């Protein structure tokens, strides 16, 4: 690196002493850029004799070909316009080849629960925006693996996250604005697993600058042991793609294959009352709408539609169209977990709250609100409650009901506090409803309770069950 720097400085001096015409000068600049790119990312020996302008440039041509092959470009061995375009784009600082040759084998974490710590922050974004970008980025990987993450605020975490400029205590100084955006180390102790972000970039929540979530999701892929992918669709492709539509972000199959090769698939939730394996349709994990045994994890309204969640998927039932739509949760909300416990809409806030374990998220349309996930105990539930089974919010009365086993709690949306006198037994106030609830929602003034494949329509005014239906009746079955 030093040698190259001296060389570049020399070149600047020489070039300005003997002004070249513009085209030749541009070519010269590109040559330098390429030399640097190949040294940094393709392990081109940092040997001045190999400088690109040398007559015998075959090692360089070979490297250019290697780079073109890796990046999915036409392999010409020349600095054509496509190649130059790609090498001008911002990218990850981790080399595409040769970098991990010093780490024998396939580094991976030997445990599934990892800690992370956000050691310091960029000034470009509010802290909670950084927190939520990192959380979302971790969840991208958590969703497809058995890995779980928890945040610590002091001491040594497995994954230490810093924002820094230039020289920052490792052997890979950052390079100012543009080009290298971040780098991260593969699993291991000490600085291994850590992720560093170049604070000379303009970090943003959207794609007006460099989107922190996208870069963090990529870097954390390295922290978990993934190397760069040659697949242009992959998150682990080394070049930053600012055109990515964030709402449509999802891992490519290539990323999923990579991470599952290291860690396997997420475990099946043990207490999932789900469909027995025999009746699961041929494509594993994909529930069939009209399976008579179909049950749901959670159900909520969203802007006049009904969302019925099951595993990694959900159905979206609109009253305007007959056929429900079927989607992956991650295609709408990349950072939401699968296998959620409960969901409800507070229409006055245009917000849907999603629960899993002891955490909940707030979503508006396809945006996750900043500052989430939060702990369920912040709502006023006692610490003995580890998860909730189901929830709904009554639009008229502005009360939210949380169902846990055979009891329920009621939350006052106006006062934003749990009401006194709870929990109460479900059977006391909802006679006829099964004492445990998988999912519940409110529509047209009725409460619909779900238990396995059965559904109970409850009239809150008459205080009784008015219909017993199949759970999948909303899916035109
Ligand atoms: C964050 O911490 C790292 C490592 O201690 C340091 O190099 C860097 O300058 C810090 N960045 C900020 C923005 O304080
Ligand atoms: C409700 O669910 C429980 C446990 O899943 C089951 O034993 C019970 O039979 C269900 N009741 C109805 C009416 O489906
Ligand atoms: Zn990378």
């Amino acid at each position: 690196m030093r040698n190259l720097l001296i060389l570049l400085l020399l070149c600047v001096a020489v070039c300005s002493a003997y002004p070249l015409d513009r085209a030749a000068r541009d070519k010269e600049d590109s040559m330098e850029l390429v030399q640097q790119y190949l040294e940094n990312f393709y392990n081109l020996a940092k040997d001045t004799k190999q400088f690109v302008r040398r007559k015998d440039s075959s090692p360089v041509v070979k490297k250019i070909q290697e780079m073109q092959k890796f990046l999915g470009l036409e392999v010409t061995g020349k600095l054509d316009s496509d190649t130059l375009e790609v090498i001008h784009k911002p990218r990850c600082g981790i080399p595409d080849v040769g970098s991990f040759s010093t780490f024998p084998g396939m580094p991976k974490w030997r445990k599934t629960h990892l800690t992370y710590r956000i050691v310091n922050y960029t000034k470009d974004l509010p802290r909670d925006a950084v927190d939520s970008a990192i959380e979302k980025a971790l969840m991208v990987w958590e969703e497809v693996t058995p890995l779980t993450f928890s945040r610590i605020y002091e001491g040594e975490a497995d994954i230490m996250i810093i924002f820094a400029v230039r020289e920052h205590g490792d052997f890979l100084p950052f390079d100012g604005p543009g080009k290298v955006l971040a780098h991260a180390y593969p699993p291991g102790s000490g600085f291994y697993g850590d992720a560093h972000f170049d604070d000379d970039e303009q970090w943003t929540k959207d794609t007006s600058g460099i989107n922190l979530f996208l870069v963090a999701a990529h870097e954390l892929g390295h922290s978990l042991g993934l190397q760069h992918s040659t697949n242009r669709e992959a998150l682990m492709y080394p070049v930053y793609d600012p055109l990515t539509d964030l709402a449509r972000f999802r891992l490519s199959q290539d990323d999923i294959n990579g991470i599952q090769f290291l860690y396997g698939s997420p475990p099946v939730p043990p207490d999932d009352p789900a469909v027995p394996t025999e009746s699961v349709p041929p494509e594993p994990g994909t529930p069939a709408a009209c399976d008579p045994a179909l049950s749901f994890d959670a159900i909520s309204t969203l802007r006049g539609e009904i969302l019925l969640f099951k595993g990694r998927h959900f159905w979206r039932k609109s009253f305007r169209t007959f056929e429900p739509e079927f989607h992956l949760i991650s295609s709408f909300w990349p950072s939401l977990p699968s296998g959620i416990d409960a969901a409800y809409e507070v229409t006055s806030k245009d917000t849907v709250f999603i629960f899993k374990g002891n955490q909940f998220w707030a979503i508006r349309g396809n945006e996750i609100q900043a500052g989430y996930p939060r702990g369920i105990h912040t709502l006023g539930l006692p610490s003995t409650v580890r998860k909730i089974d189901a929830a709904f919010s009554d639009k008229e009365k502005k009360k939210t009901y949380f169902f846990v086993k055979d009891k329920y709690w009621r939350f006052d949306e106006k006062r934003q506090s749990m009401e006194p006198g709870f929990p109460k037994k479900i059977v006391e106030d909802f006679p006829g409803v099964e004492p445990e609830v998988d999912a519940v929602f409110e529509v047209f003034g009725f409460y619909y309770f779900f238990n396995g494949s059965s559904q109970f329509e409850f009239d809150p005014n008459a205080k009784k069950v008015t219909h017993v239906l199949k759970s999948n009746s909303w899916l035109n079955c």
Side-chain angles (χ1 to χ4, degrees):
M1 199 57 168
R2 287 269 146 71
N3 287 344
L4 181 73
L5 201 69
I6 291 162
L7 208 102
L8 290 178
L9 289 174
L10 274 177
C11 174
V12 169
V14 170
C15 294
S16 43
Y18 301 94
L20 300 167
D21 67 64
R22 209 187 127 78
R25 178 70 165 277
D26 284 355
K27 184 144 188 268
E28 203 79 352
D29 288 349
S30 299
M31 288 298 201
E32 283 164 19
L33 190 68
V34 165
Q35 169 99 8
Q36 206 170 0
Y37 203 89
L38 295 175
E39 285 183 359
N40 290 345
F41 308 122
Y42 286 86
N43 214 18
L44 178 67
K46 293 184 188 190
D47 174 353
T48 49
K49 287 199 212 95
Q50 275 197 10
F51 199 59
V52 184
R53 285 175 301 173
R54 217 173 89 126
K55 272 202 210 96
D56 171 20
S57 57
S58 61
V60 173
V61 170
K62 272 215 190 77
K63 282 290 173 190
I64 292 174
Q65 288 169 337
E66 192 180 341
M67 169 182 81
Q68 288 169 329
K69 187 151 180 254
F70 193 95
L71 297 176
L73 300 163
E74 199 190 332
V75 181
T76 60
K78 293 198 188 77
L79 296 180
D80 48 51
S81 55
D82 281 355
T83 307
L84 285 173
E85 194 187 322
V86 169
I87 66 173
H88 278 95
K89 284 189 179 163
R91 58 162 287 148
C92 175
I94 298 298
D96 296 335
V97 298
S99 67
F100 295 153
S101 55
T102 49
F103 311 131
M106 250 186 345
K108 65 174 239 182
W109 297 99
R110 305 278 158 204
K111 54 189 177 184
T112 56
H113 185 75
L114 301 173
T115 55
Y116 71 101
R117 178 176 156 200
I118 303 172
V119 177
N120 56 29
Y121 287 82
T122 172
K123 291 207 170 59
D124 300 344
L125 286 169
R127 287 183 166 219
D128 65 357
V130 173
D131 293 347
S132 91
I134 300 293
E135 265 161 31
K136 265 171 76 175
L138 287 166
M139 240 168 308
V140 163
W141 299 111
E142 183 171 313
E143 216 195 349
V144 295
T145 60
L147 297 173
T148 54
F149 301 94
S150 62
R151 184 168 171 190
I152 63 170
Y153 295 84
E154 49 192 25
E156 186 73 21
D158 296 315
I159 299 171
M160 301 281 272
I161 293 164
I162 65 163
F163 288 85
V165 299
R166 305 287 173 175
E167 177 58 51
H168 55 279
D170 60 12
F171 298 105
L172 298 166
F174 282 131
D175 57 358
K179 303 205 185 71
V180 169
L181 305 176
H183 55 231
Y185 294 90
S189 58
F191 66 85
Y192 287 108
D194 296 355
H196 300 169
F197 296 86
D198 185 350
D199 209 7
D200 275 329
E201 310 307 336
Q202 180 64 41
W203 296 104
T204 56
K205 280 209 268 192
D206 54 21
T207 50
S208 58
I210 302 290
N211 182 268
L212 181 59
F213 160 71
L214 285 176
V215 175
H218 173 104
E219 295 307 325
L220 291 163
H222 290 309
S223 298
L224 299 178
L226 288 182
Q227 299 184 25
H228 281 155
S229 167
T230 59
N231 184 324
R232 288 180 108 157
E233 305 295 308
L235 177 62
M236 295 314 293
Y237 187 71
V239 181
Y240 175 74
D241 180 4
L243 299 179
T244 308
D245 174 1
L246 286 179
R248 306 214 144 259
F249 171 82
R250 47 178 299 193
L251 282 181
S252 73
Q253 197 58 44
D254 181 74
D255 300 307
I256 296 174
N257 293 347
I259 201 76
Q260 292 189 343
F261 179 72
L262 291 176
Y263 299 101
S265 313
V268 179
D271 57 351
D272 195 345
V275 201
T277 18
E278 327 57 281
S279 64
V280 166
E283 209 191 329
T286 308
C290 290
D291 179 340
L294 183 65
S295 61
F296 297 103
D297 296 338
I299 303 177
S300 176
T301 50
L302 170 64
R303 297 177 178 170
E305 300 184 3
I306 303 174
L307 307 180
L308 304 102
F309 295 90
K310 178 72 179 177
R312 298 164 59 215
H313 297 88
F314 71 97
W315 284 272
R316 177 177 175 184
K317 167 71 182 174
S318 157
F319 294 102
R320 290 185 299 273
T321 56
F322 182 74
E323 281 298 331
E325 294 175 15
F326 185 57
H327 301 279
L328 275 170
I329 297 173
S330 58
S331 64
F332 275 63
W333 304 284
S335 62
L336 281 189
S338 55
I340 65 169
D341 295 331
Y344 65 89
E345 180 182 34
V346 176
T347 46
S348 58
K349 290 184 182 161
D350 184 28
T351 300
V352 173
F353 294 91
I354 302 277
F355 289 71
K356 176 159 183 168
N358 60 5
Q359 293 189 308
F360 71 106
W361 289 257
I363 62 182
R364 190 171 293 158
N366 48 25
E367 283 257 298
I368 310 259
Q369 300 302 105
Y372 290 88
R374 291 190 191 158
I376 58 172
H377 305 117
T378 60
L379 293 166
L381 289 164
S383 60
T384 47
V385 173
R386 297 284 175 74
K387 70 188 251 312
I388 65 171
D389 296 334
F392 76 96
S393 195
D394 186 316
K395 296 184 235 346
E396 296 290 310
K397 304 196 179 75
K398 309 244 181 298
K399 307 271 192 201
T400 300
Y401 296 73
F402 295 102
F403 297 86
V404 179
K405 305 219 169 74
D406 59 343
K407 301 196 178 66
Y408 78 101
W409 277 261
R410 201 166 69 192
F411 183 84
D412 188 320
E413 288 292 340
K414 276 184 285 190
R415 295 195 185 157
Q416 284 295 295
S417 63
M418 207 57 92
E419 292 192 310
F422 287 89
K424 289 188 179 177
K425 287 259 188 216
I426 297 174
V427 282
E428 280 174 35
D429 295 314
F430 304 99
V433 170
E434 282 293 309
E436 294 199 10
V437 190
D438 290 340
V440 60
F441 75 106
E442 186 226 357
V443 72
F444 313 131
F446 287 98
Y447 304 161
Y448 292 89
F449 289 91
F450 292 74
N451 175 55
S453 58
S454 305
Q455 179 185 182
F456 305 87
E457 183 189 78
F458 188 86
D459 179 343
N461 297 319
K463 274 202 159 239
K464 66 172 198 187
V465 170
T466 44
H467 281 103
V468 179
L469 304 151
K470 288 298 284 177
S471 285
N472 51 12
S473 68
W474 297 98
L475 303 177
N476 312 328
C477 295

